[in-house]
Amino acid sequence: MHLFGSATASGIAMLIFIVLILAIRGTDLQFINSDKKYVAATAFLFGMMAMAAGKSWSDLVKGVHDLPASVVVNGPMGDPGTGIATLVFLLLGFGPGWKKRWIPAIFGIAAGVSAGNAGGYIGVITEMVRTSVLNMAGAS
């Protein structure tokens, strides 16, 4: 069932990106929460969907991912592996009580990008989420 017509992975990434921006900036819409954990979760989903969309979307999130990854992956403390880096980004996105909402968004996007590259259970779960979202939207 296509409620609004056709949808693509790029269109879904764009929609999630707009929701993320509204969550970071704050909005009066009831279904968009500006809580920092909601921002981190939305950013995580955006990172996964942007990688699935490819092209400019994946370039954007890879660029955001590179900032925290430069410290965690192959940084001064060695290489923990992509799976551990994903968990570190998730903990940093959801754990601390950040005063600014854009900080958990950065860590959420970084987690979404690295989750797709992690392989193992994290990679399988990431692919299941991507496929489920795309199938629910009827995306091609």
Side-chain angles (χ1 to χ4, degrees):
M1 179 178 141
H2 300 283
L3 185 62
F4 295 110
S6 66
T8 63
S10 293
I12 293 170
M14 181 185 298
L15 183 66
I16 297 170
F17 181 68
I18 298 299
V19 170
L20 177 60
I21 295 299
L22 291 174
I24 291 170
R25 298 282 304 155
T27 181
D28 294 335
L29 297 174
Q30 295 295 321
F31 62 91
I32 298 177
N33 190 343
S34 290
D35 177 67
K36 292 172 189 78
K37 293 187 183 355
Y38 180 89
V39 169
T42 305
F44 181 64
L45 183 60
F46 171 65
M48 290 190 301
M49 294 310 300
M51 288 299 291
K55 302 197 184 226
S56 294
W57 289 111
S58 64
D59 292 342
L60 172 72
V61 295
K62 284 178 188 174
V64 171
H65 167 266
D66 287 347
L67 178 66
S70 66
V71 176
V72 175
V73 181
N74 288 328
M77 294 172 255
D79 185 8
T82 313
I84 296 299
T86 301
L87 295 175
V88 167
F89 295 147
L90 285 172
L91 285 172
L92 290 172
F94 287 98
W98 300 107
K99 295 192 185 313
K100 303 288 184 182
R101 289 188 287 260
W102 63 268
I103 297 173
I106 297 293
F107 286 119
I109 290 171
V113 171
S114 62
N117 299 330
Y121 291 121
I122 294 174
V124 170
I125 292 169
T126 301
E127 193 58 37
M128 287 172 46
V129 170
R130 285 181 188 161
T131 304
S132 298
V133 170
L134 290 172
N135 285 339
M136 284 189 293
S140 51

